[in-house]
Amino acid sequence: MGFSFSSIRYGYLRITFLLLLSYILFSVIATPVDSSVLKPKTEHDGCSALKHFHDYQSKCAYLKTIDPCASQGFVDYLSLLYCNFEKFPLLGQSLLFLWLLALFYVLGHTASEYFCSSLESLSKLLNLSPTVAGVTLLSLGNGAPDLFASLVSFMGEDSKGTYDVGLNTVVGGSSFVTCVVVGIISIALRSRGVRIERSAFIRDVCFFCAAIGSLGLILVYGKINLWGALGFCSLYAVYVAFVYLSWRFGGEGGEFDLESVHKRVSLSEPILQREDVDEEHRSNVADDDHQRHYYWKLVVWVMTLPIYLPRRLTIPVVSEAKWSKPLAVTSVTLAPVLLSFLWNWKCSPTSFEAVIVYLTGCLVGIVLGLTALATTKKSNPPKKWLLPWLAGGFVMSMTWSYISAQELVALLTSLGYIFGVSPSILGLTVLAWGNSIGDLITNVTMALHDGDEGAQVAVSGCYAGPIFNTLFALGISLVGCAWEVYPLSIVIKTDPRLLESLGFLVVGLVWSFLVLFSNRMRLGGVMGVGLLVIYLASLSIRILQTVGDSY
């Protein structure tokens, strides 16, 4: 991925693209909130009364008298369980957990396979510098699940206080990555004596501490207006500028290849279909093993087809390896139809406005499909007018990521009511872990197999990612909420225990700082074990507190 500073045209194009990227994330996804006060549900809330009913039939009857308890998604999971699985409760709960795993897979795979691919191609087309691409597009790609989960938790007229899920997901994911992932990397590399670049580590830790401190002040103060939210979000722009200047004038970091990082072992391939066997090993496998492997792949393909095909038919893909003219024409035809459906999904399908939107979506889809049919070749993807194709793939992959995050937050909220667990603890654990699996696989693999440089990039990514999630993902959610109630402030009444989790996060950063400096910036087992202990202590205290609240 090259870069050039001699062309003014490319310079303007870079800036325009980065501004447009932020605008799309804010304006396309954000939907109005219905109150200037974001407050969690209380004991008097209708959904909390479910715990007073002891059988599925009475719970089903009660749910029919109130609004949906988790209305972000397309499915009312509580009504689905209590009204359809009265005789088979274990089966219903098992299906919900399987659907939870499927949603994690769809969210991670969409972000990695489609979202990151579009970002890589856009960065090449716009000739972004490696450093700018690394701290913007790479962070956006890796942090996409957290970004969309945060947006869903804060945005929407029926969010009903699920903002605590978003807050705990960001904090839980940051703790997991900076403690567990960095800890595992440190333990795995303890015998190699790998040194971390001092200036980069100090920069990342200081900016992350500033991000945590800013978030803590917001939680303590209890409210924030539009200007405060913009200031909080803009701290990430300061971080990006500082990284760029350090690399440009200080010679820090060297080349940072977005595409090479994305091609590491990650969610870029379907989890259940990943092939880790090289060609030499394949030649030695017996024929019966080949046959069993073929049948297993066929079964997995059939299982994943229902969640693969809808995305493939609506997300334009123009890469050389995956180009298919029939699928490309189909995707640009069906994409506007899907967007019109999402626009109208809460409206009556027979209303005049809905009919107009559906007709417009179908008309635009037909025009785009015929244009693609006439201007593309069967043998290779288009070379001209590539930007509209990439922009379409970016918007549709973002749309599918947001749909997946909607369902994920709605399902986690519903599971909280079903099992009597606070949605915030589910965000701190289940959602944070699910969104961080990609970071764990990618960063650990890079550190183990790419030498000292790979270890440096992996450790830097373990701090750059949480900085992005805290300042940009959470910041743009706060901006969206504050925008809707401007000039009023949004009031955030949060669980004080979230401040405890932030405190443990700071303790982990301080521990890493002290141990690394005392060990001359070498990764070691002491640092790794300490980080794991800090994370387990923080998690155990939160779980014990949650269990204590239920009695």
Side-chain angles (χ1 to χ4, degrees), residues 107 110 143 177 182 184 241 254 262 292 481:
L107 180 59
T110 302
V177 173
V182 175
I184 291 175
H262 173 58
R292 285 197 299 267
C481 290

Side-chain angles (χ1 to χ4, degrees), residues 130-457:
T131 301
V132 173
V135 297
T136 54
L137 301 187
L138 179 61
S139 295
L140 178 59
N142 289 342
D146 296 280
L147 170 63
F148 292 114
S150 178
L151 285 168
V152 170
S153 300
F154 276 85
M155 304 305 227
E157 57 186 11
D158 295 317
S159 59
K160 290 187 175 180
T162 54
Y163 74 96
D164 56 338
V165 176
L167 286 170
N168 280 275
T169 299
V170 171
V171 175
S174 298
S175 298
F176 183 86
V177 173
T178 57
C179 289
V180 176
V181 179
V182 175
I184 291 175
I185 292 175
S186 300
I187 294 173
L189 300 181
R190 65 186 184 279
S191 61
R192 285 168 47 181
V194 176
R195 288 195 176 193
I196 299 301
E197 189 174 344
R198 183 190 300 264
S199 59
F201 178 77
I202 293 176
R203 176 200 67 210
D204 293 339
V205 169
C206 288
F207 266 98
F208 194 26
C209 286
I212 296 172
S214 301
L215 179 58
L217 288 176
I218 294 173
L219 296 178
V220 171
Y221 189 62
K223 61 181 180 179
I224 186 172
N225 58 19
L226 177 61
W227 299 109
L230 287 172
F232 179 73
C233 188
S234 65
L235 288 177
Y236 188 71
V238 177
Y239 172 70
V240 171
F242 196 87
V243 171
Y244 174 76
L245 292 175
S246 299
W247 169 82
R248 183 72 178 91
F249 299 105
E252 179 187 296
E255 291 291 325
F256 196 82
D257 192 344
L258 179 65
E259 182 177 8
S260 65
V261 173
H262 173 58
K263 288 182 178 178
R264 307 294 176 188
V265 178
S266 65
L267 293 174
S268 60
E269 299 178 20
I271 296 174
L272 298 176
Q273 301 180 27
R274 185 178 295 148
E275 298 180 50
D276 296 320
V277 187
D278 57 24
E279 293 297 332
E280 181 180 357
H281 181 65
R282 286 181 187 175
S283 63
N284 298 325
V285 177
D287 292 340
D288 56 341
D289 291 335
H290 274 294
Q291 190 173 12
R292 285 197 299 267
H293 183 65
Y294 171 78
Y295 285 126
W296 169 244
K297 285 189 63 178
L298 181 62
V299 171
V300 170
W301 181 81
V302 173
M303 290 172 58
T304 57
L305 186 62
I307 57 179
Y308 167 78
L309 194 59
R311 292 175 295 154
R312 190 66 180 90
L313 292 178
T314 52
I315 302 177
V317 177
V318 290
S319 64
E320 291 282 352
K322 300 178 182 178
W323 171 252
S324 169
K325 181 174 180 177
L327 287 176
V329 174
T330 303
S331 63
V332 298
T333 303
L334 296 181
V337 179
L338 174 62
L339 292 177
S340 64
F341 169 77
L342 296 176
W343 185 275
N344 286 329
W345 78 279
K346 285 190 176 182
C347 302
S348 173
T350 58
S351 65
F352 177 75
E353 294 81 1
V355 172
I356 293 298
V357 172
Y358 285 132
L359 290 177
T360 302
C362 292
L363 180 62
V364 172
I366 292 173
V367 172
L368 292 178
L370 292 176
T371 303
L373 182 64
T375 58
T376 57
K377 298 179 180 179
K378 187 176 180 180
S379 57
N380 56 275
K383 302 299 182 181
K384 296 181 179 180
W385 302 102
L386 191 57
L387 185 59
W389 282 93
L390 295 176
F394 171 77
V395 171
M396 292 309 300
S397 61
M398 187 170 61
T399 300
W400 273 104
S401 296
Y402 191 73
I403 293 173
S404 305
Q406 270 190 321
E407 290 302 314
L408 196 54
V409 172
L411 180 53
L412 280 176
T413 304
S414 300
L415 290 175
Y417 288 118
I418 293 171
F419 296 102
V421 180
S422 170
S424 61
I425 197 67
L426 292 177
L428 185 72
T429 55
V430 178
L431 188 54
W433 295 338
N435 289 344
S436 301
I437 289 298
D439 297 275
L440 175 63
I441 297 174
T442 303
N443 292 337
V444 172
T445 302
M446 189 185 307
L448 291 177
H449 299 292
D450 289 345
D452 292 356
E453 183 179 353
Q456 172 65 50
V457 174

